[in-house]
Amino acid sequence: MALFLKPLIIFLHDSCLAFLSLLNHGASFDEDADGVPNRLQAFINGVRISIETTWGRQLRSVFIVPLFKCLVASCLIISLLVFIEGVYMNLVVLYVKLFKRKPEKVYKWEPMQEDAELGHESYPMVLVQIPMYNEKEVLDDSTDETIKELVNKECAKWENKGVNIKCERRDNRNGYKAGALKQGMKYNYVKLCNYVAIFDADFQPEPDYLHRSVPFLVHNPTVALVQARWRFMNANKCLMTRIQEMSLNYHFMAEQESGSTRHAFFSFNGTAGVWRMSAMVEAGGWNDRTTVEDMDLAVRAGLLGWKFVFLDDLMVKSELPSKFKAFRFQQHRWSCGPANLFRKMIMEIIRNKRVTLWKKLYLIYSFFFLRKILVHFFTFFFYCIVLPTSVFFPEVNIPAWSTFYIPSLITLFIVIATPRSFYLVIFWVLFENVMSMHRTKGTFIGILEGGRVNEWVVTEKLGDALKTKLLPQIGKPRNGCFQSINSKEIMMGIYIMCCACYGFFFGDTILYLYLFMQAVAFLVSGVGFVGT
């Protein structure tokens, strides 16, 4: 080891001295027979200083360049895997659209009729739970006395109208949302219910929500979950919410739709869904071992053979986080949680004997490894590390299909889900690359069970989706755009900007155009000029 480090240190020391002399006094090269410089010369006050470049050339050719080529090859393989997965999901969606394979045609569905004698008592009992924590919008973990009073008044108002409503409070936040939902299942009145509908505090279902969703559970005893789609009421709030809308619309159109159609399995979104009580009990109920208790329950129920139904045309109004800090916390939880759950459940999936080998492969490779882990690493390392660094390695060829054609097709798939935002596609690409840094970090923490693996920060929302006067909206923030400085984004922006400048002056491709734009995206995010 010492034999290797000593000449390396000497080479770096001499290179720095020679570089300084070059800036002030000029330089010349001695070349070998092949025209490759092997001695760097500089003159200071008439005295010639020269250093051998052999060590640098050998280190670059023997170690650095091959390593970089391996990184590029790995990224190209992952790029193909991501592309194939995207094509597969979109072909399933196309099949559903062309042959009109709506859930009503695949599963038995009949509207529930009210009995003339029994009235509403002829309907199945559905428990509606709204887990919340200090949200001004009912399982209540709130510690803010003002919010407690608001919730009490609202519950009392509906109770006076004859609605069977209860506000259950805990004196702690153990297990966060999963802990609140788990505690909510222990009350005696829960035993009277066959199904449970779950909504986050900012969600507003339509009056016919249960009439359209519950029949799938009533008439199909193998169905455990009916999931509705989210509709974003504040999507036009700012550019960041428009970009979120594009990503989430694609999630529902492609991932949820294809999973429901092809495998009768997808991840529960944690809200706007109705569960069969018996399926939840058989799967073990809510578990707070990760911050994605919704996905945890869905995977355990799926391994028992229960089926899930996604309703693309049943939409529930919701709100998107419009503050960059809140969005970062949300994305950390959404990337860290699945990675940590994969670590905890992979052996349980492998040993499971109640589902087919095909479904186990789908869960391990497609659902978890590719979509929840590999895609985050690939997006960040390829588009934010490998591509910028490639300007220093002109001898390494990165094919155009990996940098333009495949990314363009994948982006086209995503834009199809939100046609009105087609003109924002460049902003979507750049911002998604910025967020991939946080998702990669969260995924690392989840896999390695780092210090923030169980961190739960409630996603702050401004109440823009509340069109009623039931509860007051949160005042809009008046912070200056430069008040919050994000050092990680700034460091990445500076590095990519340096690569862009090098590519502009010394490169022979137009890659620097993309690098300049990506650097600006990181820097703008770094100074907090994103969101409201």
Side-chain angles (χ1 to χ4, degrees), residues 376-389 429-437 440 492-493 495-496 499 514-515 518-519 522:
H376 300 320
F377 290 145
F378 164 72
T379 303
F380 177 64
F381 284 111
F382 186 59
Y383 295 111
C384 303
I385 300 294
V386 173
L387 275 184
T389 307
V429 170
L430 298 176
F431 186 69
E432 281 293 295
N433 288 344
V434 172
M435 294 309 302
S436 70
M437 178 177 67
T440 301
M492 282 300 305
Y495 173 71
I496 296 177
C499 295
Y514 158 74
L515 297 181
Q518 190 62 70
F522 269 103

Side-chain angles (χ1 to χ4, degrees), residues 214-227:
V214 172
F216 286 100
L217 298 166
V218 172
H219 300 299
N220 302 275
T222 60
V223 172
L225 167 68
V226 178
Q227 173 72 58

Side-chain angles (χ1 to χ4, degrees), residues 1-18:
M1 188 67 177
L3 293 176
F4 173 78
L5 289 177
K6 183 177 179 180
L8 177 61
I9 293 172
I10 294 174
F11 165 74
L12 293 175
H13 176 265
D14 291 344
S15 297
C16 291
L17 292 176

Side-chain angles (χ1 to χ4, degrees), residues 30-94:
D30 286 341
E31 297 181 347
D32 58 18
D34 298 324
V36 179
N38 55 23
R39 181 181 293 273
L40 179 63
Q41 302 181 81
F43 294 86
I44 301 177
N45 297 327
V47 179
R48 187 177 70 175
I49 298 176
S50 64
I51 62 172
E52 296 286 344
T53 62
T54 305
W55 278 105
R57 292 192 298 114
Q58 287 182 347
L59 184 66
R60 178 185 175 92
S61 61
V62 174
F63 179 71
I64 298 179
V65 172
L67 176 62
F68 190 73
K69 286 183 177 181
C70 290
L71 290 176
V72 171
S74 299
C75 289
L76 296 182
I77 294 172
I78 298 173
S79 177
L80 286 174
L81 295 178
V82 173
F83 176 68
I84 293 171
E85 181 73 9
V87 171
Y88 164 74
M89 290 190 295
N90 282 273
L91 286 177
V92 173
V93 174
L94 182 63

Side-chain angles (χ1 to χ4, degrees), residues 248-311:
L248 288 172
N249 279 349
Y250 177 73
H251 162 72
F252 284 108
M253 182 201 77
E255 294 185 21
Q256 302 297 74
E257 183 82 78
S258 64
S260 176
T261 302
R262 187 66 185 88
H263 306 279
F265 172 83
F266 50 86
S267 177
F268 174 43
N269 291 115
T271 178
V274 186
W275 276 92
R276 185 186 299 274
M277 285 281 196
S278 58
M280 294 179 65
V281 172
E282 185 182 0
W286 297 105
N287 194 314
D288 60 3
R289 58 182 171 176
T290 68
T291 56
V292 284
E293 71 294 324
D294 43 14
M295 185 183 294
D296 191 342
L297 177 61
V299 174
R300 283 183 281 117
L303 290 175
L304 294 175
W306 289 99
K307 296 180 179 180
F308 303 162
V309 177
F310 172 69
L311 302 181

Side-chain angles (χ1 to χ4, degrees), residues 168-219:
E168 308 288 1
R169 286 194 173 94
R170 301 188 299 164
D171 58 2
N172 60 74
R173 289 201 69 209
N174 295 339
Y176 303 108
K177 182 178 177 180
L181 291 168
K182 188 175 182 178
Q183 179 65 32
M185 301 295 288
K186 295 179 180 180
Y187 298 102
N188 291 329
Y189 55 80
V190 175
K191 299 177 182 179
L192 303 175
C193 304
N194 300 314
Y195 313 105
V196 55
I198 301 169
F199 299 96
D200 284 347
D202 60 299
F203 278 68
Q204 303 174 65
E206 297 296 332
D208 65 344
Y209 174 85
L210 293 177
H211 286 276
R212 296 180 60 185
S213 58
V214 172
F216 286 100
L217 298 166
V218 172
H219 300 299

